[in-house]
Amino acid sequence: MSPRWITAAWCGLAAALLIAAALSSRWLVADVAGLGASVSARIGLTSVKVCASTLGDAQCQEVAWSQLPGQVEGSGWMWIGRATFALCLIAALGLIALGGMAVAELEVQLPIPAPRLVLWPCLALLPFIGAYYLFPPRAFSELAAGRGFAFGVVGGLLGAFAAWRQLKDDWR
Amino acid sequence: MIATRSAAERTTTRVAHPSPHAAASLAFAVGLVGAAATARAQGAVAADDPRATAVGAAVLADGGTAADAAVATALALGVVNPASSGIGGGGFAIVYDAATGQTYAFDFREVAPAALDPGDFVVDGAVDPMRARRGGLAVGVPGEVAGLTLLTERFGRLSWRRLVAPAMRLAREGSPTSAFMSQAAARVVPTLPDEPAFAPLRALLTVDGAPRPVGAPLVRPALAATLGALSRDRRALATGPIADDLVATAAAAGGVITTADLAAYQVAERAPLDGRWRGHRLATMPIPSSGGVVLLEALAIIDGAGVDLATLGASSPAALHVIVEALKHGFADRARALGDTDAGRAAARAMLAPARLAALARAVDRDRTLPSARYGEPAPVVTPRPGGTSHVCVVDRDGNAVALTTTVNGYYGAKLVTPTGLVLNNQIDDFAVAVDASNMYGLRQGAENLVGPGKRPLSSMTPVLVIDGDRVVGCVGGSGGPRIISNTLQVLLDLFVFGLDPATAVAAPRIHHQWQPDVLVVEPELPAATRAALAARGHQVEVADDITAVQAIRVGPAGAVGASDPRKNGARAAAAR
């Protein structure tokens, strides 16, 4: 396989992971069962989804941060979540564009090389992901990290790798 | 609707015919190791501390009545657990007399001294709430001895001396410092001002300058002597040298209490606040307790909210949400309208009007919490008319029952200890020192509860007896300021709606909301998923582990099963035949 196709594959995989991360409702997860009811809480980057099951009858409720005035709105954590969401999508779009340019063998002249423009959001994503895990409001503390984190971290690293690889090829 | 035969009766550990000393030793040992033993027999005692529980069990085994056991237990609690209660404080009692089927309510809450002036709490034009929390001005006229004396006179069988003797022995011979007392000491010692007035409490709470460690011998000879005098003369705290000593201690710290206040103190016998709930009769405390009113209001709202709580599951977010919404209405009413005045009493009646409760219940949104201003609306329609706590539950073999809550208010009350060993209450902080000013529990309070001479401050103490026909089937109550109301409510629901056994019910993680501040406090043990689910309903969730201990007894066909809250000293109920 030619290097440009390999670059495109890396970019595509990373973009898919980052989109999955942005849309995932499983960044923080917790489940509890007992005393007649089971509850699952799934927290994404911009909302919380709670499902409660009583006697086999499950009901789910999804609430955006903007609908939780007391708990989350105005807290730094909410903005970290929104920024992470935005960075995931920006990085994913950049990676898709980068992959497309590689496949089409397009060279776009920009003041800053295109791979570098993609590399930065991929790397910037990582501290935001860490902060989102480390500093939730107390109502959401002690929840476990879910697959959203895995998608975000792996997607960010893969995307950075793909962008770096393209940057290196461009230097040659 | 109600779980009539709870698991409690099936999970009982029976104690067969213990001698008084054996019962005491057993209960003490059980409490010390924190084992989950619950005892059943024809009577039961549940209290904050295993040594006090054992005292009550021994009294029952000696043929004492529920009132005898409650009195002896309360006196012992004041010795081993001075952070919460003692003869320098006051309390409430609900008594059920099985022979007549009558229920009684006794109010021996502290009274504001006659010379107390609301202006005493204003310094340089601003209200200083610390004056109501610490020092001489914080001290209300104690009523505990008068109340306990009256209980034994009206409902007792054993001699007063017999009931005082165990507490006196504990004070004289000493006992190990409990984990709860050690925690309370560690919390209070760093906050004590370096002033002579607070030196006696510092001496009580420290060993070699450090907060008293668990297990350190707690010997209180001065209190033992006071209890000795009290056993000989029930009025020893009302007149004479002990009374003079109390007045002098308060005065040295800026207080205005007088010997005339002490001599004039009267227990108020009130009509119990009665409510019907799921086929039971609930007998609880009327004003000046806000606990009974808010409890009945919350239970009615929960029942009228159109949800079958039992099917939602105990501690489920959906059930907790409805409970919180009901509590917020109750606490909003409490803040706006209740107090020890005619208007406050009228408001209490109006709060419980069925049509109003139905309207509040209809307003409960099962999925979302409401803006703060919506709680307690519609406001109660009042027709103007002229004019640190411990709880003990006792049921005896004859079916008599006592729910007794006593207190010095905050941990170690006003932080004053008399030379005769009394820890003086800081009950004045339960008043509002200014309209809408918050007290140490963060409770906002209205004009009806403004501090004033001769008034009794609004309380949250909620002793409850649950009565079916002519027999008591439950006793619940607790300690912990306003959390008493919410926590008593939850244990009642756990016992009578969710069908939990008493030990599970009192140990289950609980929540608290008092309308303002608009924060839902949950215990750390509440699962993370449940906390998140409550936040998703709009609640501002805070995790805190402030101690609120609830005691409970459930009486079933096989007898009485009691449970003491492990949050304080891990004590478990004791029983006697």
Side-chain angles (χ1 to χ4, degrees):
Chain A
M1 189 184 289
S2 72
R4 61 195 176 91
W5 281 103
I6 293 173
T7 297
W10 283 121
C11 287
L13 180 59
L17 286 170
L18 290 174
I19 290 170
L23 301 179
S24 173
S25 63
R26 290 175 175 247
W27 280 73
L28 293 166
V29 297
D31 297 281
V32 61
L35 297 176
S38 63
V39 183
S40 67
R42 305 278 180 261
I43 292 176
L45 292 173
T46 58
S47 66
V48 54
K49 183 178 182 182
V50 174
C51 293
S53 169
T54 307
L55 303 175
D57 178 25
Q59 281 192 322
C60 292
Q61 181 186 23
E62 185 159 9
V63 185
W65 292 156
S66 57
Q67 293 175 271
L68 297 178
Q71 188 66 51
V72 177
E73 191 180 74
S75 73
W77 187 75
M78 178 196 74
W79 289 107
I80 292 170
R82 287 175 171 166
T84 308
F85 177 80
L87 280 170
C88 281
L89 292 183
I90 290 168
L93 289 174
L95 285 163
I96 290 169
L98 197 63
M101 284 161 60
V103 171
E105 294 189 82
L106 276 176
E107 282 197 20
V108 181
Q109 293 302 318
L110 296 169
I112 301 170
R116 186 167 290 172
L117 284 175
V118 176
L119 179 65
W120 285 346
C122 287
L123 291 176
L125 193 55
L126 300 175
F128 278 89
I129 291 174
Y132 197 67
Y133 177 71
L134 290 174
F135 306 116
R138 296 200 70 181
F140 300 140
S141 60
E142 297 178 28
L143 275 74
R147 69 177 66 142
F149 274 104
F151 290 161
V153 171
V154 176
L157 289 173
L158 273 184
F161 173 71
W164 170 79
R165 188 183 150 88
Q166 185 63 30
L167 197 62
K168 199 175 68 173
D169 287 348
D170 288 350
W171 283 340
R172 284 180 193 149
Chain B
M1 185 80 83
I2 297 167
T4 52
R5 173 111 185 165
S6 76
E9 288 115 35
R10 297 189 295 274
T11 58
T12 286
T13 303
R14 300 189 180 209
V15 179
H17 302 285
S19 71
H21 298 299
S25 305
L26 173 65
F28 183 52
V30 165
L32 284 181
V33 300
T38 308
R40 185 219 68 89
Q42 292 181 10
V45 183
D48 284 354
D49 188 281
R51 292 157 291 192
T53 307
V55 165
V59 167
L60 286 184
D62 269 2
T65 64
D68 287 330
V71 167
T73 304
L75 289 169
L77 277 173
V79 175
V80 298
N81 189 10
S84 300
S85 63
I87 56 179
F92 295 138
I94 302 291
V95 180
Y96 181 76
D97 182 3
T100 63
Q102 294 291 310
T103 312
Y104 303 87
F106 296 99
D107 167 5
F108 44 98
R109 186 144 173 82
E110 300 86 335
V111 175
L116 191 69
D117 182 345
D120 293 338
F121 300 95
V122 179
V123 180
D124 297 332
V127 170
D128 179 6
M130 284 310 293
R131 288 191 161 205
R133 293 174 197 171
R134 196 168 62 195
L137 281 175
V139 183
V141 182
E144 177 152 329
V145 171
L148 300 185
T149 300
L150 188 66
L151 289 182
T152 59
E153 287 170 354
R154 294 276 296 273
F155 306 101
R157 191 179 292 146
L158 301 185
S159 72
W160 172 247
R161 283 193 174 208
R162 163 69 183 85
L163 302 181
V164 179
M168 196 167 59
R169 193 163 51 245
L170 280 167
R172 188 179 61 237
E173 297 175 2
S175 59
T177 298
S178 67
F180 170 70
M181 184 176 175
S182 179
Q183 287 168 23
R187 186 182 293 192
V188 168
V189 167
T191 69
L192 280 179
D194 193 15
E195 296 171 18
F198 304 106
L201 182 64
R202 189 182 295 279
L204 177 66
L205 299 187
T206 54
V207 175
D208 297 330
R212 178 173 277 284
V214 177
L218 175 66
V219 185
R220 304 181 65 188
L223 181 61
T226 298
L227 289 167
L230 194 62
S231 74
R232 294 184 294 276
D233 174 10
R234 302 174 189 213
R235 296 272 298 164
L237 257 68
T239 60
I242 298 172
D244 296 342
D245 185 56
L246 189 160
V247 169
T249 301
V256 294
I257 195 168
T258 64
T259 50
D261 289 323
L262 296 172
Y265 185 88
Q266 295 285 325
V267 177
E269 181 173 350
R270 305 185 185 278
L273 183 61
D274 273 337
R276 300 295 308 180
W277 177 60
R278 297 182 175 230
H280 300 290
R281 178 183 153 220
L282 297 184
T284 182
M285 201 66 205
I287 299 290
S289 168
S290 65
V293 181
V294 175
L295 179 79
L296 294 185
E297 179 176 1
L299 287 171
I301 292 172
I302 291 167
D303 277 1
V307 294
D308 184 357
L309 216 55
T311 63
L312 295 180
S315 296
S316 69
L320 291 175
H321 171 74
V322 173
I323 292 168
V324 170
E325 293 301 286
L327 283 169
K328 287 169 81 171
H329 283 298
F331 274 99
D333 284 344
R334 180 197 196 278
R336 288 175 179 141
L338 296 184
D340 183 24
T341 61
D342 288 338
R345 270 176 256 283
R349 285 189 292 273
M351 279 167 60
L352 299 177
R356 177 174 185 269
L357 293 174
L360 293 178
R362 282 195 300 274
V364 171
D365 184 329
R366 290 184 227 174
D367 297 323
R368 300 284 298 165
T369 193
L370 305 174
S372 274
R374 296 268 307 273
Y375 293 94
E377 294 293 339
V381 178
V382 179
T383 307
R385 296 183 176 201
T389 309
S390 293
H391 182 80
V392 179
C393 273
V394 186
V395 177
D396 69 18
R397 72 189 70 184
D398 298 322
N400 302 303
V402 176
L404 170 70
T405 312
T406 58
T407 185
V408 290
N409 202 19
Y411 282 172
Y412 304 101
K415 316 293 184 277
L416 300 176
V417 182
T418 70
T420 45
L422 274 66
V423 174
L424 299 182
N425 68 82
N426 64 340
Q427 215 60 252
I428 300 302
D429 186 61
D430 268 359
F431 285 113
V433 291
V435 174
D436 271 350
S438 297
N439 70 359
M440 70 174 142
Y441 296 107
L443 277 173
R444 274 177 53 192
Q445 319 211 54
E448 299 307 324
N449 193 37
L450 267 180
V451 65
K455 285 177 73 175
R456 297 185 188 214
L458 202 57
S459 168
S460 296
M461 293 189 287
T462 317
V464 186
L465 293 178
V466 185
I467 302 163
D468 259 1
D470 61 354
R471 70 187 187 102
V472 169
V473 295
C475 173
V476 184
S479 58
R483 296 177 189 205
I484 294 173
I485 302 172
S486 52
N487 284 244
T488 297
L489 170 77
Q490 288 165 82
V491 172
L492 268 176
L493 293 171
D494 284 346
L495 288 173
F496 291 95
V497 175
F498 298 116
L500 303 185
D501 64 87
T504 306
V506 299
R510 294 192 285 265
I511 52 96
H512 172 71
H513 203 303
Q514 59 187 41
W515 179 57
Q516 293 292 338
D518 191 3
V519 171
L520 172 59
V521 180
V522 304
E523 292 190 305
E525 292 76 16
L526 197 73
T530 306
R531 297 205 300 257
L534 289 166
R537 284 176 160 83
H539 298 288
Q540 184 159 339
V541 178
E542 292 285 344
V543 181
D545 58 359
D546 284 359
I547 293 170
T548 301
V550 175
Q551 318 302 327
I553 292 177
R554 178 84 164 92
V555 185
V561 181
S564 294
D565 201 315
R567 288 169 183 78
K568 263 194 175 166
N569 283 332
R572 303 295 177 180
R577 284 182 187 277

